[in-house]
């Protein structure tokens, strides 16, 4: 078992009370100092934020209510704001984030994945162990995500799209905007240069002492490095979503619909309204953005926090044709553009919206709203 978890892999409880307890356990000061190390004081809240159970704003307000001043916890506030930034960018640019966003990725040899990455056999001990644990837990530390992306795209010469889909498929905290645009940042199609991490960097943050790997080079050598033999063989990962069987739901046509989905499972949303509460799982959505069994099981267990909610597996138009209703309520999200009804704003941290070419342009506006 990895040293950084002291013999235990991370777990992600799904009851709302346990999620609230996890928020209360955050140490935002220590987070800012240690988050880049794999045993750092990370929050393990990202799966709940991505599934819309809690919001970045909710976490921020809880920290302020605990008496933390914004100044010493600014790094954590900033990292929460990154999540809103990626979502704002997805809203503004839509499917443009599914292709090379700012630049054409250079030195692309194929549009598959190195088999060594898929099978956790790269020879980089910290990476291989992390991938095996990832398949089990659905979690990866952010540095490990960057390391894997750099190996797949910049050393293994994969185009970013398929490896990004593979990672999203297995992540409990899968957020397509954050995932796709971060992979593009590593690959140089959403940044000015490619990101590399050498063996020394990995050893430092993962507490390993490995030598003589294909990453055991100085940084100025990466542009000239030959494609390692271990990364030569590639394949296309099979990514199909195991949606549950659709079952008949109980429906009161005299009541409105409160609509949840994979990105919105907020148990506090519209709790005072009498309504048909439906978690909509559209096959077309999961064909475009497939997720694995761990992700589906996690989502279904989180949905148990929604009082009297029922699961409907089908398209939005099918739900509307089968069940007449006076009104439909849903939260804004880039994947909901085809919904018809009353769209309600999401719970953003700051009153800053629209497209910003860089996070720091977005953050500059957000920071003005912090009360130091």
């Amino acid at each position: 078992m990895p040293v950084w978890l002291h013999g235990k892999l991370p777990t992600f409880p799904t009851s709302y009370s346990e999620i609230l307890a996890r928020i209360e356990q955050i140490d935002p000061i220590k987070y800012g100092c240690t988050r880049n190390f794999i045993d750092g004081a990370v929050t393990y809240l990202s799966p709940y934020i991505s599934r819309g159970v809690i919001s970045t704003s909710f976490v921020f307000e809880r920290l302020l209510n605990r008496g933390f001043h914004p100044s010493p916890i600014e790094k954590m506030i900033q990292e929460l704001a990154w999540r809103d930034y990626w979502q704002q960018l997805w809203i503004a640019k839509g499917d443009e984030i599914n292709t090379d966003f700012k630049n054409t990725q250079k030195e692309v040899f194929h549009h598959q994945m190195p088999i060594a990455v898929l099978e956790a056999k790269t020879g980089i001990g910290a990476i291989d162990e992390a991938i095996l644990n990832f398949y089990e837990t659905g979690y990866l530390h952010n540095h490990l995500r960057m390391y894997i992306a750099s190996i797949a795209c910049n050393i293994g010469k994969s185009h970013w799209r398929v490896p990004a889909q593979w990672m999203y498929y297995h992540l409990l905290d899968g957020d397509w905007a954050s995932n796709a645009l971060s992979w593009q940042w590593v690959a140089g199609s959403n940044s000015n240069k490619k990101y590399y991490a050498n063996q020394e960097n990995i050893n430092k943050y993962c507490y390993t002492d490995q030598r003589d790997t294909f990453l055991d080079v100085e940084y100025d050598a990466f542009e000239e490095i030959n494609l390692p033999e271990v990364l030569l063989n590639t394949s296309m990962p099979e990514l199909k979503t195991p949606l549950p069987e659709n079952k008949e739901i109980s429906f009161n046509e005299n009541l409105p619909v409160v609509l949840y989905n994979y990105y919105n499972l907020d148990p506090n949303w519209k709790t005072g309204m009498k309504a048909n509460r439906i978690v909509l799982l559209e096959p077309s959505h999961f064909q475009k953005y497939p997720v694995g069994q761990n992700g589906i099981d996690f989502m279904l267990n989180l949905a148990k926090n929604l009082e009297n909610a029922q699961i409907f597996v089908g398209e939005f138009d099918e739900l509307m044709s089968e069940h007449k209703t006076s009104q439909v309520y849903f939260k804004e999200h880039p994947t909901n553009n085809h919904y018809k009804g009353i769209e309600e704003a999401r719970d953003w941290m700051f009153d800053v919206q629209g497209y910003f070419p860089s996070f720091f342009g977005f953050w500059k506006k957000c920071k003005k709203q912090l009360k130091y």
Side-chain angles (χ1 to χ4, degrees), residues 91-103:
I91 289 172
K93 296 299 181 179
D95 284 348
E96 288 183 42
I97 71 169
N98 297 339
T99 57
D100 290 2
F101 190 63
K102 291 182 178 178
N103 311 301

Side-chain angles (χ1 to χ4, degrees), residues 59-207:
V59 176
F60 179 40
E61 290 298 324
R62 287 275 176 144
L63 291 173
L64 294 181
N65 290 340
R66 285 172 57 191
F68 289 104
H69 192 271
S71 182
I73 66 169
E74 184 175 304
K75 175 48 67 176
M76 183 163 188
I77 298 170
Q78 189 179 68
E79 291 303 311
L80 288 170
W82 266 106
R83 305 189 72 82
D84 281 3
Y85 172 69
W86 292 133
Q87 286 292 302
Q88 290 282 1
L89 201 154
W90 195 5
I91 289 172
K93 296 299 181 179
D95 284 348
E96 288 183 42
I97 71 169
N98 297 339
T99 57
D100 290 2
F101 190 63
K102 291 182 178 178
N103 311 301
T104 300
Q105 183 182 337
K106 297 178 181 178
E107 293 187 280
V108 173
F109 288 10
H110 59 86
H111 290 252
Q112 296 188 333
M113 275 194 72
I115 293 175
V117 174
L118 285 172
E119 296 183 350
K121 295 178 179 178
T122 67
I124 312 297
I127 301 302
D128 293 341
E129 183 174 51
I131 293 171
L132 291 175
N133 292 338
F134 175 44
Y135 286 144
E136 182 176 345
T137 66
Y139 173 78
L140 276 172
H141 185 279
N142 188 56
H143 256 191
L144 287 162
R145 301 182 197 208
M146 294 165 64
Y147 296 156
I148 292 169
S150 183
I151 290 171
C153 297
N154 302 337
I155 308 298
K157 311 301 181 183
S158 299
H159 186 264
W160 66 268
R161 179 68 189 271
V162 169
Q165 288 178 311
W166 161 79
M167 184 172 284
Y168 177 86
Y169 181 83
H170 293 285
L171 284 170
L172 293 188
D173 69 3
D175 177 322
W176 180 245
S178 175
N179 190 64
L181 292 164
S182 295
W183 272 81
Q184 294 202 58
W185 182 87
V186 170
S189 57
N190 186 31
S191 58
N192 295 325
K193 61 179 181 179
K194 296 183 178 184
Y195 166 84
Y196 292 96
N198 65 9
Q199 188 66 57
E200 181 181 9
N201 182 290
I202 294 172
N203 287 343
K204 174 182 177 180
Y205 291 106
C206 299
Y207 303 106

